[in-house]
Amino acid sequence: MKNGPGTGVASRQHRQESFEQAPMYVAVMTYLGFGIVTLFGYFRDFLRAVGIEKCHLAQEREEQKDFVPLYQDFENFYTRNLYMRVRDNWNRPVCSLPGPVFDLMERVSDDYNWTFRLTGKTIHNAINMGSYNYLGFAENNTDFLKTVADKLCQYGVGVCSTRQEIGNLGIHEELEQLVASFLRVESSMIFGMGFATNSMNIPALVGKGCLILSDEVNHTSLILGARLSGATIRVFKHNNMHSLEKMLSEAVCSGQPRTHRPWKKILIMVEGIYSMEGSVVRLPEIIALKKKYKAYLYLDEAHSIGAVGQTGRGVTELFNVNPADVDVMMGTFTKSFGAAGGYIAGKKELVDYLRSHSHSAVYASAMSPPVTEQIIRAMKCIMGNNGSTEGIRRIRQLAENTRYFRARLKEMGFIIYGNDDSPVVPILLYMPGKVVAFAREMLERKIGVVVVGFPATPISEARARFCLSAAHTRAMLNQVLHHLNEVGDGLCLKFSRLKYSSCPDLHEETDSELGS
Amino acid sequence: MNFKNFREYLAWLYYQYLLITGIYVLEPWEKSIFNSILFSVIAMVIYTSYVFVPIHVRLALEFFSGIFSSQPESTMALMN
């Protein structure tokens, strides 16, 4: 049943990835909006400096004004003058589990978002389009959570030690073997925090004299790990294989910058699904390049493990690639498994080396037992133990939700980025005023969305990021789409100029494409 | 979108203006400052164009018609 590696090529693999550009007037208006708010920012800073207006930020005491400044004013310009004005759209307090619907606590601000107070009311059953709950494992059904409760009674909650000292529990070893068999690799190692998995393990793998080729839009954890390692970092254009090949050949030919000695190691860092763009990595081409130029590949599958692939095994399964070709497979349990933590998997020598040389393994506290059991039960569910089809049902439901949602959005006329298979859907909003108005309007209609603006995205491409879940029903998606339609018309957000014909089977419940 | 009356349509247009210029995120007194500055600039532009544009257009037309029509007169005068 399982195809051999590399045989399932061609048509289905090169799915459509679109990054449509908005009309020119949109870019002009975006910059105009930022320019006007910046001018007002300078005006308010002037008022604060002169003393007409009270300053709410941290400031030095009068006696310390002659010292070297502690708080750099200019760097916080953007935070002070734009983010503070609109920060009621972020850090909203959630008071239920982050399932497909959730409860929010209502809060108001009396002084334009410098301080907040809770009114005491709760917004019940808001539809959750922001949580990374891809397979719906963030649930509180007592039947499903029975093993987790048992382990909680057996082991308690805290481990009170690191893995290396006395915190290595039997349940950790069980999970590592399960992860290795799930990913079809030799061995794996788990860590308590996903961000720390990247930032603490890359310094253990590369050091000075090595070269890191990292994608343009890589996550901060990868960038931080690369900088901490001390290796030379070169950035290639996002998903652009020509750029990567040029850099690889130049690196192999010229070697290190001044001495021209060959690089000790060349490490290509990519992600499975890029969470801000929704695009999928071009894995077969990167593996071909890697083999040609003898480089190593570090694949961060934070968003793609469990969410893509026929049986949820990530981009290696999506592209039908041998997992042994990827040197270091990394992923997190925060997204599809409803827990917390990360893993690194690969050859046995690699994982054994990391057990003693990684900062996270040696110094960080071990993963908590109920969390470990949650990952074990989620993974067993996906793998279909005891012949249950619950895992496959969830994976299929996610794929169907993804396809439906993306197709309906394109039909409505929004600009969305990314691959048709990725459950992360960024809708481009561009203008700062519209970003804020969008988030507020959707909250009024009881839909919780995540909007992202400047530091995390390029300045002219602010977006709203929707994360689909297998727990969303068709009715919920239709409700969200209906409200999106209204808000899109009310705020004039439908910038797409491509004509998209709707498929006739879009509005039915069949999933005929999976059989082909 | 269906607007019940003209006032609602104007309110929606004002909302779009707030969103596009980015004024939407500012406090009310800042909005008033920006609106008054913009209104006075537009008023000055309209006044200037009302006062000066007809005069300049008339002078320009006279200049160009002077070029095209003055030639035949002078040759006739020379021949006579």
Side-chain angles (χ1 to χ4, degrees):
Chain A
M1 195 271 270
K2 184 84 192 69
N3 293 337
T7 52
V9 186
S11 57
R12 285 193 76 214
Q13 309 311 321
H14 299 289
R15 290 168 178 84
Q16 293 292 13
E17 280 200 6
S18 62
F19 296 96
E20 190 189 335
Q21 264 213 328
M24 178 62 87
Y25 68 86
V26 172
V28 168
M29 290 199 279
T30 308
Y31 285 118
L32 173 74
F34 271 110
I36 292 178
V37 178
T38 309
L39 282 177
F40 272 97
Y42 283 126
F43 176 56
R44 293 293 290 269
D45 272 350
F46 168 71
L47 290 183
R48 274 188 274 259
V50 165
I52 297 179
E53 188 186 333
K54 177 161 136 21
C55 183
H56 295 267
L57 295 159
Q59 278 194 313
E60 292 131 332
R61 302 202 325 253
E62 273 305 317
E63 305 87 56
Q64 293 174 324
K65 287 268 175 166
D66 292 329
F67 294 178
V68 172
L70 199 56
Y71 304 109
Q72 293 286 6
D73 282 335
F74 184 68
E75 285 164 6
N76 294 334
F77 181 82
Y78 178 79
T79 313
R80 209 169 45 233
N81 291 312
L82 182 56
Y83 178 69
M84 281 296 180
R85 290 183 196 273
V86 295
R87 68 175 182 142
D88 59 307
N89 296 312
W90 289 275
N91 297 343
R92 290 186 185 139
V94 175
C95 56
S96 75
L97 76 106
V101 292
F102 64 164
D103 300 335
L104 291 164
M105 300 179 74
E106 200 187 24
R107 62 179 181 168
V108 295
S109 171
D110 302 315
D111 51 359
Y112 300 106
N113 292 342
W114 287 100
T115 57
F116 292 104
R117 65 183 165 84
L118 299 170
T119 58
K121 277 184 9 168
T122 317
I123 303 175
H124 287 287
N125 290 340
I127 300 184
N128 183 1
M129 297 304 288
S131 291
Y132 308 128
N133 184 17
Y134 296 133
L135 292 178
F137 281 115
E139 56 197 353
N140 54 4
N141 184 328
T142 28
D143 292 330
F144 291 156
L145 293 180
K146 192 164 178 324
T147 49
V148 178
D150 289 341
K151 288 289 191 277
L152 179 60
C153 293
Q154 183 184 355
Y155 286 106
V157 179
V159 186
C160 305
S161 185
T162 67
R163 286 293 294 281
Q164 219 188 34
E165 288 172 10
I166 205 162
N168 191 19
L169 306 174
I171 199 174
H172 292 144
E173 309 252 325
E174 188 189 334
L175 176 58
E176 285 177 354
Q177 279 161 9
L178 189 63
V179 168
S181 76
F182 179 70
L183 296 171
R184 301 191 183 117
V185 288
E186 283 182 14
S187 163
S188 82
M189 174 163 191
I190 58 169
F191 303 92
M193 179 179 167
F195 188 99
T197 310
N198 269 335
S199 50
M200 297 292 121
N201 285 312
I202 296 178
L205 294 173
V206 292
K208 278 177 76 95
C210 302
L211 174 66
I212 293 184
L213 293 171
S214 131
D215 192 293
E216 220 178 356
V217 294
N218 265 341
H219 191 250
T220 313
S221 56
L222 290 164
I223 298 176
L224 186 63
R227 286 189 189 159
L228 274 176
S229 67
T232 312
I233 308 175
R234 300 213 176 127
V235 171
F236 63 92
K237 293 202 185 9
H238 176 54
N239 251 354
N240 188 334
M241 299 297 113
H242 294 293
S243 171
L244 178 59
E245 174 150 27
K246 208 157 60 109
M247 283 196 178
L248 272 169
S249 60
E250 199 244 324
V252 170
C253 295
S254 320
Q256 300 190 25
R258 275 170 297 119
T259 56
H260 293 292
R261 287 197 205 129
W263 295 101
K264 283 195 214 156
K265 259 180 261 195
I266 301 182
L267 186 69
I268 306 174
M269 292 204 309
V270 287
E271 293 186 32
I273 291 186
Y274 293 92
S275 64
M276 277 304 151
E277 317 282 320
S279 50
V280 173
V281 68
R282 299 225 184 122
L283 199 57
E285 297 166 39
I286 291 192
I287 294 206
L289 278 176
K290 162 191 113 89
K291 287 183 174 161
K292 181 175 170 190
Y293 291 96
K294 309 250 187 335
Y296 295 105
L297 180 58
Y298 186 101
L299 179 64
D300 176 345
E301 289 207 81
H303 286 268
S304 53
I305 190 74
V308 292
Q310 283 270 22
T311 57
R313 282 165 165 87
V315 284
T316 46
E317 189 179 20
L318 186 67
F319 291 107
N320 237 326
V321 151
N322 189 354
D325 282 338
V326 179
D327 302 294
V328 188
M329 295 178 75
M330 177 265 171
T332 62
F333 300 117
T334 326
K335 280 94 183 179
S336 303
F337 299 95
Y343 67 84
I344 290 212
K347 295 248 177 332
K348 189 167 185 313
E349 295 85 29
L350 168 76
V351 175
D352 286 344
Y353 175 80
L354 279 180
R355 268 187 225 282
S356 44
H357 286 88
S358 151
H359 298 291
S360 188
V362 175
Y363 295 107
S365 168
M367 197 188 263
S368 173
V371 172
T372 318
E373 180 56 32
Q374 156 75 2
I375 305 169
I376 290 180
R377 76 126 186 135
M379 212 172 253
K380 282 186 177 163
C381 181
I382 296 177
M383 286 163 82
N385 67 329
N386 309 331
S388 105
T389 53
E390 176 68 12
I392 291 289
R393 182 195 72 81
R394 288 182 190 227
I395 295 172
R396 294 228 168 118
Q397 181 71 38
L398 177 66
E400 194 185 312
N401 283 353
T402 305
R403 235 174 328 178
Y404 177 66
F405 198 72
R406 276 180 172 267
R408 282 290 303 273
L409 281 180
K410 280 197 202 151
E411 204 186 331
M412 281 186 204
F414 290 99
I415 295 185
I416 52 180
Y417 276 2
N419 194 304
D420 282 335
D421 280 330
S422 100
V424 181
V425 186
I427 297 184
L428 274 284
L429 303 174
Y430 300 102
M431 292 170 234
K434 292 199 180 181
V435 161
V436 175
F438 182 82
R440 288 179 186 158
E441 289 258 349
M442 292 302 268
L443 184 61
E444 259 173 55
R445 290 148 195 264
K446 301 217 309 181
I447 299 176
V449 299
V450 169
V451 292
V452 247
F454 165 51
T457 65
I459 195 165
S460 56
E461 291 177 16
R463 57 200 73 175
R465 188 177 65 174
F466 286 76
C467 293
L468 295 164
S469 163
H472 284 136
T473 60
R474 189 55 79 97
M476 281 182 212
L477 290 183
N478 282 335
Q479 191 181 348
V480 172
L481 286 164
H482 167 74
H483 285 299
L484 268 177
N485 202 4
E486 283 182 5
V487 171
D489 284 332
L491 295 178
C492 293
L493 292 172
K494 301 188 177 178
F495 301 117
S496 180
R497 290 171 291 184
L498 300 174
K499 276 199 70 63
Y500 184 80
S501 60
S502 72
C503 305
D505 64 350
L506 201 53
H507 302 277
E508 295 169 22
E509 294 279 2
T510 57
D511 51 346
S512 49
E513 272 179 62
L514 275 174
S516 58
Chain B
M1 293 162 291
N2 308 318
F3 296 113
K4 284 189 220 56
N5 51 20
F6 194 57
R7 288 196 58 154
E8 208 182 289
Y9 180 63
L10 284 183
W12 181 79
L13 279 183
Y14 179 63
Y15 186 51
Q16 295 303 311
Y17 153 75
L18 287 182
L19 290 176
I20 287 174
T21 51
I23 304 296
Y24 178 79
V25 305
L26 300 178
E27 299 174 22
W29 58 275
E30 289 167 329
K31 282 189 185 125
S32 320
I33 291 181
F34 184 81
N35 286 340
S36 46
I37 293 177
L38 188 67
F39 180 71
S40 48
V41 166
I42 292 180
M44 283 192 280
V45 165
I46 292 177
Y47 175 75
T48 311
S49 57
Y50 173 72
V51 168
F52 288 108
V53 165
I55 297 178
H56 284 290
V57 166
R58 188 168 61 81
L59 287 174
L61 282 175
E62 276 183 16
F63 176 73
F64 284 114
S65 63
I67 292 182
F68 292 133
S69 56
S70 62
Q71 281 238 341
E73 281 177 32
S74 50
T75 45
M76 289 300 287
L78 277 176
M79 288 200 50
N80 277 353

